[in-house]
Amino acid sequence: GASQGIASLAGAVVGVAVVTGLGDAALQAWGWRLAIGLGAVILPIGYMLRRGLIETRHAPEPRAAHQPDKTTILSHWRILSLGLGLITSATIATYVTNYMTTFATTSLGMPTGVALGATVVVGAVTFLGSLAGGALSDRIGRRWLMIWPRLALILVAVPAFQLIVWRRDAVTLYLSIAVLVFLNGVASSPSITALTESTRKEVRSVAVAACYATAVAIFGGSAQAIVLGMTRLTGSPLARAWYMAGASVIGLVAAVL
């Protein structure tokens, strides 16, 4: 959540800097390679962080009341199913907002610099929303933070995009996206934490990784293609809003159950 926000923010800042310094023509011709080169710098940092993590696999951990009796993957089928729904919902909402730069340039006809600003907003607000969701869930519990922000996202997704399409200006774009991203961030942090806490230690890494990887690979990887297909089928630029709202319904149902 928060780390993804920082990564998105850093990438967006680099993108804005490259566009501002080089212009659209140079960016399309060769400037995009600069961003990829800078992104490779994070590899040794990630390696050093992983080497410094404390291994807790062998520490004893008694079974919590909400965890299954058995330590097999099959005994976690209900948790895995609900977890997949939660992460799928958050993933689709994340990828819809991550592609706001493309939406702003192709569907709204905004300048590249303004469109890239949306990615800056997405990164910054994802960071703040994820931290807020985690902090609040530690104080008032996971469940309410998984339900109410997701319900709010369902209600405001379509109106927010309607406003963006109608106004077609930077301020409306940034403010509307900030609201959507913040709600998704607040709901996502307690969701992944609740999934982790609900699994037994013996299968936790496999269970959480399976839910996360499946949701991101299938629904994150297909989000842009599905949105494009829905847009062409309906002829409406609001297709992505309905897709986000529908995915949030899945997350809401999973959170309630």
Side-chain angles (χ1 to χ4, degrees), residues 2-145:
S3 60
Q4 290 177 333
I6 289 293
S8 179
L9 176 60
V13 170
V14 170
V16 171
V18 171
V19 170
T20 303
L22 300 179
D24 289 347
L27 174 66
Q28 296 294 331
W30 57 271
W32 56 271
R33 293 182 175 87
L34 294 177
I36 295 178
L38 289 173
V41 175
I42 198 65
L43 292 175
I45 298 176
Y47 177 75
M48 288 186 291
L49 288 174
R50 181 61 186 89
R51 280 178 58 87
L53 289 178
I54 299 175
E55 181 58 70
T56 61
R57 182 176 56 183
H58 303 295
E61 181 181 296
R63 184 183 76 85
H66 59 274
Q67 293 176 333
D69 294 330
K70 298 181 180 179
T71 59
T72 63
I73 286 291
L74 289 179
S75 66
H76 287 69
W77 68 268
R78 183 175 183 275
I79 294 173
L80 293 177
S81 300
L82 297 178
L84 183 61
L86 290 170
I87 299 177
T88 294
S89 175
T91 297
I92 291 175
T94 298
Y95 274 74
V96 168
T97 53
N98 281 349
Y99 283 107
M100 284 308 298
T101 296
T102 304
F103 174 68
T105 54
T106 58
S107 298
L108 305 181
M110 290 184 170
T112 303
V114 173
L116 282 171
T119 307
V120 174
V121 173
V122 168
V125 178
T126 296
F127 174 72
L128 296 174
S130 297
L131 290 181
L136 287 172
S137 70
D138 286 339
R139 288 164 174 78
I140 66 176
R142 317 286 185 218
R143 185 177 178 82
W144 295 114
L145 269 296

Side-chain angles (χ1 to χ4, degrees), residues 145-235:
L145 269 296
M146 293 160 57
I147 292 176
W148 292 109
R150 193 63 63 189
L151 177 61
L153 186 58
I154 294 171
L155 297 176
V156 304
V158 175
F161 272 94
Q162 284 179 322
L163 190 60
I164 292 172
V165 173
W166 175 51
R167 300 277 300 182
R168 299 189 183 227
D169 63 80
V171 174
T172 303
L173 175 66
Y174 298 161
L175 290 178
S176 299
I177 291 304
V179 171
L180 297 177
V181 171
F182 186 79
L183 291 173
N184 186 48
V186 170
S188 297
S189 289
S191 296
I192 190 68
T193 305
L195 172 61
T196 304
E197 293 172 340
S198 298
T199 55
R200 296 292 295 272
K201 172 187 171 182
E202 292 80 0
V203 297
R204 182 171 297 148
S205 60
V206 174
V208 175
C211 282
Y212 189 86
T214 301
V216 173
I218 296 177
F219 298 99
S222 64
Q224 183 72 341
I226 291 176
V227 166
L228 180 60
M230 290 176 62
T231 302
R232 289 176 175 173
L233 181 64
T234 63

